[in-house]
Amino acid sequence: MNTILTVTNLTKKFGALTAVSDLSFIIEKGNVYGILGPNGSGKSTTLGIVLNVVNKTSGEFSWFDGQTSTHEALKKVGAIIERPNFYPYMTAIQNLKLVCKIKEVPETKIEEKLELVGLLDRKNSKFQTYSLGMKQRLAIASALLNDPEILILDEPTNGLDPQGIHQIREIIKKIASQGTTILLASHLLDEVEKVCSHVVILRKGKKLYSGSVDTMLASHGFFELRTKKEKELLDYLEGNSSFGSVKNIDGLITAYLNEDLQAEELNKILFEKGIILSHLSKRRESLEEQFLALTNNSSN
Amino acid sequence: MIRLLQIEFIKLWNNRASKFLIFAYFGLILCMALIAMIKIDRPPIVFNIADQGIFNFPYIWHMNTWIASWLKLFFAIVIVSMMANEYSNKTIKQNLIDGLSKKEFLMSKFLMVISFSILSTIFVFLVSLVLGLLYSDFTEIAIIFSDLEYFLGYFVKLLGFFTMCLFLGLLVKRSAFALGFLILWWGIFENLIVRISAWKLFGKEGSESVMRFMPLEAMSNLIVEPVTKFKAVQSLSTQLGTDLSRDYAVHWYDLLIVLGWTAIFIYLSYALLKKRDL
């Protein structure tokens, strides 16, 4: 039983607006998935549907190979969507006890999970007295109470200050390192790039890409070069089949690779040709650049 | 089932406002006993309400269930806010995500309503029993345990009313508006629009039989006011030559109508809950 969630041709319409359109993907055990997309691309709606709070218009989804009903499956899932929702008049402990009752798990793990998110010393404070960061951390503790098979996070760092963002990321990394499957929805790409092994990219409810991050970044990277002999360098690069497009912006020459080439090797060749570089760096496109390329292409 | 009740109990019991209202509700029922203390001892007027026979079995069953049923308005606040707060705190969303099904969510509320109604019925019974034993002129077992159908009426009346409150809380999602809606329903819809149009269309008799099917009217028909049954009032009315006596019994068809509405409200709540995106 390695498939955790299967989504097939899922569609959700809000009146005339199609929030999610014919979406299919599979979540497998042990991977860390990112759902990427600009605001309003249908990330939260998709998660809302699989989490039983939004009704689908058409399509199917099934948890754990469809062996259990959705609400039974959700007891094995930990999820935090958008803002943390707890009873404001109840303390952290009371709120978590309620969650234990709903998930039908013993209350023995409450202290342990509060410790993990660093809220143990505030366990008897009412939820309404918490700062946003603390609320978010309590939500994570609550989602972990059942030691879930999969943890679903929707914009977990939204609205937090830098320390808060850092704390949440550290917690996510810690959980990911323990082998828990994670599904992280975000529009913050560096966040996804840092923790995810697989991504699903959405735009206006449609899937643009789904697969591993490595395949998505499968280009060979590019060189950034600077020299006094610009013309010779450009001639060489354009005449060499290893390179694709070459751009010259204010003397900074960017050359995209068609095949693998080490920086040392290029430096050596150019030096032998009498082209002396004042700047040489080899880089790969970041997820952000790839993402922008993908989302822009499809809008044209 | 126990689990669902426990879930609801945690939510309610940790809320200071609800806890206060629950205590106040049962406190007020207890205060009915204070009526017995009303004494005017200033000759020539010597009047002790306990001596007037209102605590006599089985009259006391009717009297006390009728008085206590007014206090349900007080408790409606708890029920409505218990539902509406789930929406304003968005905790209903969290509950569903945590693995409660929509059916279970509604069931936990409804079970709470049933438990309240049972508890309140038992409580009123006990208070009345003690009061009766203290002040009643007749304490034969057969008389004490006659006319107990008023408690069935009382229970069904509370159940129907609280279920209606539950539905309104779910429908309107704001506790204050839901209570306002309830008052509007009672005052404007049932008593103005329906009553007057039925009167115009079918005459006085016809209007009565239409009104019988309106939810709030049906609930109030379950326990008819007992004041005119009171012997001092009756002797007064005989002297004045009017006949105030009515049909005081708890009728099975009224019970059925209210239970029917209870089922309708639960069904509508479930349909609404199922249809809505959160």
Side-chain angles (χ1 to χ4, degrees):
Chain A
M1 197 177 90
N2 284 324
T3 308
I4 290 187
L5 173 66
T6 315
V7 173
T8 329
N9 305 94
L10 200 66
T11 300
K12 172 67 185 176
K13 289 183 177 143
F14 292 109
L17 177 88
T18 307
V20 177
S21 167
D22 204 26
L23 181 65
S24 306
F25 61 88
I26 291 173
I27 301 285
E28 272 163 9
K29 202 179 170 78
N31 294 328
V32 179
Y33 290 84
I35 298 189
L36 285 176
N39 290 327
S41 58
K43 300 185 297 278
S44 298
T45 310
T46 308
L47 294 183
I49 293 171
V50 299
L51 292 173
N52 205 15
V53 290
V54 176
N55 296 314
K56 61 185 189 221
T57 307
S58 65
E60 289 303 324
F61 66 92
S62 66
W63 286 100
F64 306 110
D65 295 325
Q67 286 162 359
T68 49
S69 66
T70 304
H71 79 273
E72 283 300 328
L74 289 181
K75 286 176 188 162
K76 292 192 269 175
V77 172
I80 302 151
I81 83 175
E82 289 160 298
R83 312 205 122 231
N85 303 315
F86 288 99
Y87 295 86
Y89 52 84
M90 277 157 58
T91 65
I93 291 267
Q94 288 166 341
N95 269 303
L96 293 186
K97 276 186 179 165
L98 182 66
V99 175
C100 284
K101 272 275 173 301
I102 292 176
K103 287 190 181 282
E104 294 183 278
V105 291
E107 294 173 1
T108 46
K109 292 222 161 115
I110 292 179
E111 300 260 330
E112 175 197 328
K113 301 300 176 192
L114 281 174
E115 172 97 67
L116 177 76
V117 298
L119 280 177
L120 202 54
D121 52 335
R122 288 292 302 273
K123 65 178 182 181
N124 288 320
S125 306
K126 285 190 174 151
F127 179 69
Q128 61 197 5
T129 66
Y130 279 19
S131 72
L132 182 60
M134 294 165 78
K135 287 178 178 176
Q136 200 65 271
R137 280 185 282 150
L138 180 64
I140 292 181
S142 149
L144 291 174
L145 276 175
N146 51 346
D147 289 320
E149 305 252 353
I150 177 172
L151 183 66
I152 296 179
L153 301 147
D154 188 2
E155 310 274 5
T157 55
N158 224 0
L160 295 182
D161 58 13
Q163 282 97 331
I165 294 176
H166 182 70
Q167 282 176 329
I168 300 287
R169 283 198 190 148
E170 287 304 308
I171 294 170
I172 294 174
K173 275 186 204 160
K174 204 189 278 181
I175 298 160
S177 69
Q178 291 162 359
T180 308
T181 312
I182 295 180
L183 178 58
L184 173 71
S186 181
H187 58 262
L188 301 171
L189 295 143
D190 55 333
E191 188 165 284
V192 172
E193 194 174 12
K194 273 177 194 148
V195 290
C196 296
S197 58
H198 291 68
V199 283
V200 176
I201 297 183
L202 298 180
R203 188 172 171 280
K204 291 186 179 166
K206 289 201 174 73
K207 183 173 78 177
L208 296 181
Y209 175 83
S210 101
S212 77
V213 176
D214 290 337
T215 333
M216 184 183 167
L217 303 174
S219 72
H220 298 286
F222 58 91
F223 282 109
E224 283 180 338
L225 308 163
R226 211 184 270 274
T227 179
K228 279 181 182 160
K229 297 181 175 174
E230 279 181 25
K231 194 170 172 332
E232 285 92 334
L233 179 58
L234 285 171
D235 285 347
Y236 169 75
L237 293 173
E238 275 158 16
N240 192 328
S241 64
S242 302
F243 294 96
S245 64
V246 178
K247 277 186 284 184
N248 183 1
I249 302 163
D250 295 333
L252 181 71
I253 295 164
T254 310
Y256 290 88
L257 279 168
N258 285 336
E259 57 186 48
D260 205 27
L261 181 66
Q262 296 301 311
E264 294 94 333
E265 208 164 324
L266 179 71
N267 196 9
K268 196 176 151 212
I269 297 168
L270 291 176
F271 188 76
E272 281 164 2
K273 286 187 181 291
I275 304 168
I276 298 166
L277 298 170
S278 60
H279 173 92
L280 165 69
S281 71
K282 187 186 178 187
R283 287 178 50 198
R284 296 185 74 174
E285 291 95 332
S286 67
L287 188 58
E288 185 167 334
E289 283 158 322
Q290 282 284 0
F291 173 72
L292 289 176
L294 265 172
T295 46
N296 281 334
N297 283 344
S298 62
S299 66
N300 296 332
Chain B
M1 204 170 105
I2 299 289
R3 167 178 159 255
L4 294 179
L5 258 178
Q6 279 174 332
I7 288 173
E8 202 49 48
F9 184 76
I10 295 175
K11 292 179 189 172
L12 217 54
W13 199 245
N14 290 313
N15 187 338
R16 203 183 296 161
S18 307
K19 202 149 77 173
F20 172 78
L21 284 171
I22 294 170
F23 276 124
Y25 174 72
F26 288 110
L28 280 172
I29 293 181
L30 208 58
C31 283
M32 286 195 306
L34 292 179
I35 300 172
M37 311 292 247
I38 299 174
K39 261 184 205 167
I40 301 168
D41 195 6
R42 196 171 290 163
I45 309 164
V46 181
F47 179 79
N48 183 353
I49 204 152
D51 294 338
Q52 297 300 307
I54 71 159
F55 294 119
N56 281 349
F57 292 116
Y59 179 72
I60 186 173
W61 299 140
H62 188 180
M63 178 76 180
N64 280 3
T65 49
W66 184 73
I67 295 175
S69 69
W70 283 101
L71 298 174
K72 72 183 190 296
L73 289 169
F74 199 67
F75 211 78
I77 304 169
V78 178
I79 307 273
V80 163
S81 58
M82 139 181 136
M83 199 55 154
N85 282 345
E86 298 276 5
Y87 275 99
S88 45
N89 295 331
K90 287 199 171 180
T91 41
I92 175 171
K93 194 171 174 181
Q94 196 65 46
N95 282 177
L96 297 184
I97 290 171
D98 285 338
L100 207 65
S101 70
K102 288 181 174 177
K103 199 184 231 166
E104 283 178 327
F105 179 81
L106 192 65
M107 269 312 279
S108 77
K109 301 279 177 209
F110 187 54
L111 283 173
M112 202 46 144
V113 161
I114 294 177
S115 316
F116 277 146
S117 307
I118 293 175
L119 215 65
S120 174
T121 309
I122 293 174
F123 197 72
V124 172
F125 175 77
L126 291 178
V127 169
S128 311
L129 186 69
V130 171
L131 268 181
L133 288 176
L134 286 176
Y135 296 106
S136 175
D137 297 334
F138 327 100
T139 46
E140 291 83 359
I141 296 290
I143 293 181
I144 291 177
F145 292 103
S146 59
D147 284 0
L148 284 180
E149 68 273 15
Y150 285 108
F151 286 97
L152 183 64
Y154 180 74
F155 171 73
V156 171
K157 185 171 174 157
L158 289 193
L159 188 68
F161 185 70
F162 292 154
T163 313
M164 184 173 180
C165 293
L166 209 60
F167 169 69
L168 288 180
L170 188 79
L171 180 72
V172 185
K173 300 188 212 170
R174 298 275 183 282
S175 33
F177 286 118
L179 287 171
F181 193 90
L182 183 71
I183 293 166
L184 276 183
W185 175 278
W186 176 76
I188 308 290
F189 183 72
E190 280 198 14
N191 280 315
L192 268 173
I193 300 176
V194 177
R195 193 182 289 275
I196 288 174
S197 44
W199 194 300
K200 289 244 151 135
L201 286 173
F202 311 111
K204 188 171 185 289
E205 296 285 306
S207 140
E208 284 297 315
S209 43
V210 171
M211 284 306 288
R212 190 164 281 275
F213 288 97
M214 294 288 109
L216 289 175
E217 181 73 13
M219 288 168 207
S220 86
N221 282 343
L222 278 177
I223 301 175
V224 180
E225 51 78 25
V227 180
T228 48
K229 202 174 167 187
F230 189 30
K231 59 185 179 202
V233 176
Q234 271 188 345
S235 63
L236 198 71
S237 74
T238 328
Q239 281 171 19
L240 293 170
T242 48
D243 184 18
L244 287 173
S245 64
R246 311 166 50 165
D247 183 1
Y248 299 103
V250 178
H251 295 290
W252 63 268
Y253 46 82
D254 285 329
L255 287 171
L256 267 187
I257 291 170
V258 175
L259 285 175
W261 276 110
T262 309
I264 289 171
F265 286 132
I266 284 293
Y267 174 76
L268 286 179
S269 304
Y270 185 57
L272 197 64
L273 198 60
K274 227 174 154 179
K275 198 173 145 274
R276 252 187 207 157
D277 290 330
L278 293 162

